[in-house]
Amino acid sequence: MASGDLSHQPTRDYPAIPDCSTSLLDLLSNTLVLYQTIPYLPVAAILNVAATSQSFRHLLHSTPGVFRHLDLTRLTSAQFDIDAIDHGGEVWRNVQVDENLTEDDFYSGPLRGIFSCLRRRNIIQHVNTLVLDGLSVTSEFVNDILVDPSSRVRILSIREVKNLNERKLMQALRYACRPTRADDMPRLQALYYFGKKDTAPFPAASSSTEVAPARVSRGADISADWNQKSQTALKESIEAEGEDWYSRKGRMISRPIADGWAETLLDCREVLHFDTVLCTGPRHRNSPAYGRTFVTPVSANGGSPWGVATFAVGGCASCGSAPEGFTVYGESRREELPLLSPIPLHSSNVKSAIRPTPSTNDANEKHEFVPRCLECIRERYCFSCNQWWCEDCYEVPSREELTAQHIHIVDDANGLTDHEMAAALGQPKHKTAKITRSCWECEHNCMECIAETQKYCQRCGGGYCLIHHEGSTLKLCDWCSHSGRRRC
């Protein structure tokens, strides 16, 4: 037998090794993995994966809940950067616009085109959470979502949107929540509108072992590294503050509140939940302390008897409570609890949207806050330390009562304060304000915070603010501490 004839040479039989590799299709076929992964993918990525093969298409289009959470904020075709129709004369000069085109059709055109495409693909009827933050959204578009019986959207986010008529939106919401509405309408249960849109996740830090291109200088690498460290530190500080309303106190709503929103929240409170609640200060009729605390009601001055809460405060600095009590998760009624950010990814019900994160330190710790509008804490709230004094513990002195005394800032070297001098001389005591404004750039602060930030220059004797006068020190103002100033 020739040695080159391999067909007749004896061979050793090896056992077959099974293929243990797992494909992406196998991973996504596990519904637990699929439901935890899909909410983080944009709809374009999901459709691209479905277009790769028949197996992926069948998996993604036949599994319930794949398109439950729809976020269109990162979709390029949904962006609308034109400010107004009148400003687009030069841009649209050579374009023949239909004479029947309405303002709503113009501003909501990108979103209506996307919805038409999703409707043809039989996707839109599976959407339960819809995020449109920062896009061009009109009140008519929101009204179509409210009155459409085929819509399954339960959570809608339209924070910081453009081209929205607030008056028409209020009318649409109040009409959708009218007492004579159908039993199963509206399908919408939660509306994010007043707060800030969720921040985009920070990009992952690049590996330090990667070799930078030759054209990138060493200085650019150092700058990018420090920018990444700054972003990481900012993210950690934001996460450390905790959730709005319950953990983080202070101003929750920074945008101005238009007239009529308080009445809208009142009419919709049993049907819709918002990312804010009504103010419970004793000046408003809905407050449990209304009529029991000596304050002037808002309606007495011709204002609305209700108000929208834009601040979340803790207990009073003196008594530790509030005349109306606390809003407590688990004890207060559900309509008294605000929607929390970020929007829940893995659920589309109100219960998940209003539930705060359990405390890791104390399982029995209560999640509570006091919702107040700006008028109810005016001259009662310190914008630096977030302390405030309730109506039962502190009566804001009137201007007439303050004219008899001169309130100024003192430090440790100035001796006795005004009220101590008045007591020593036997003069009648005057009411002193706990909150005042000593710097044009600072908000109203308490006396303790003012003493820490407002100082007198030991050289020129002028007053200055440590926060807003850059270059100042604890003893010298920014002008005197400058080395180039000529000394007297």
Side-chain angles (χ1 to χ4, degrees), residues 473-485:
T473 63
L474 291 174
K475 296 182 179 180
L476 300 177
C477 64
D478 54 341
W479 176 250
C480 293
S481 62
H482 195 272
S483 58
R485 182 180 185 268

Side-chain angles (χ1 to χ4, degrees), residues 294-320:
F294 183 73
V295 291
T296 304
V298 185
S299 56
N301 299 325
S304 173
W306 300 278
V308 178
T310 55
F311 285 80
V313 295
C316 171
S318 296
C319 65

Side-chain angles (χ1 to χ4, degrees), residues 240 247 357-367:
S247 300
T357 304
S359 177
T360 57
N361 300 327
D362 186 5
N364 297 325
E365 180 183 359
K366 286 187 177 182
H367 296 275

Side-chain angles (χ1 to χ4, degrees), residues 291-359:
R292 295 188 296 141
T293 305
F294 183 73
V295 291
T296 304
V298 185
S299 56
N301 299 325
S304 173
W306 300 278
V308 178
T310 55
F311 285 80
V313 295
C316 171
S318 296
C319 65
S321 183
E324 68 273 25
F326 290 95
T327 298
V328 184
Y329 176 78
E331 298 180 7
S332 302
R333 295 180 300 176
R334 179 177 291 187
E335 56 265 21
E336 298 176 354
L337 305 176
L339 300 174
L340 302 179
S341 295
I343 301 173
L345 285 176
H346 305 291
S347 178
S348 295
N349 55 61
V350 175
K351 185 177 180 180
S352 300
I354 64 176
R355 181 175 60 243
T357 304
S359 177

Side-chain angles (χ1 to χ4, degrees), residues 193-235:
Y193 175 73
F194 297 96
K196 294 182 178 180
K197 59 183 180 181
D198 297 334
T199 57
F202 292 99
S206 58
S207 175
S208 59
T209 59
E210 294 181 358
V211 180
R215 66 177 182 271
V216 180
S217 63
R218 182 172 178 270
D221 292 340
I222 296 176
S223 300
D225 185 40
W226 276 107
N227 287 337
Q228 181 61 42
K229 291 181 179 179
S230 300
Q231 291 180 352
T232 304
L234 177 61
K235 180 181 179 181

Side-chain angles (χ1 to χ4, degrees), residues 396-453:
V396 178
S398 62
R399 293 184 179 180
E400 293 76 11
E401 294 172 333
L402 292 176
T403 52
Q405 61 180 357
H406 177 66
I407 301 177
H408 61 276
I409 305 167
V410 297
D411 52 18
D412 297 335
N414 282 351
L416 295 176
T417 58
D418 288 347
H419 67 276
E420 291 175 337
M421 294 176 61
L425 298 175
Q427 298 176 358
K429 295 183 179 181
H430 301 282
K431 289 184 179 180
T432 57
K434 294 181 178 293
I435 302 292
T436 186
R437 190 170 191 171
S438 59
C439 173
W440 288 108
E441 298 182 57
C442 291
E443 291 283 356
H444 289 76
N445 297 321
C446 64
M447 292 303 177
E448 296 179 359
C449 293
I450 289 176
E452 295 178 359
T453 58

Side-chain angles (χ1 to χ4, degrees), residues 156-170:
L156 175 63
S157 180
I158 51 173
R159 295 169 293 185
E160 300 182 21
V161 296
K162 309 171 185 176
N163 307 314
L164 181 66
N165 190 321
E166 285 191 276
R167 293 296 178 186
K168 292 184 178 180
L169 177 62
M170 295 180 204

Side-chain angles (χ1 to χ4, degrees), residues 278-299:
L278 292 173
C279 175
T280 58
R283 301 166 65 248
H284 304 288
R285 292 183 182 176
N286 60 294
S287 173
Y290 181 76
R292 295 188 296 141
T293 305
F294 183 73
V295 291
T296 304
V298 185
S299 56

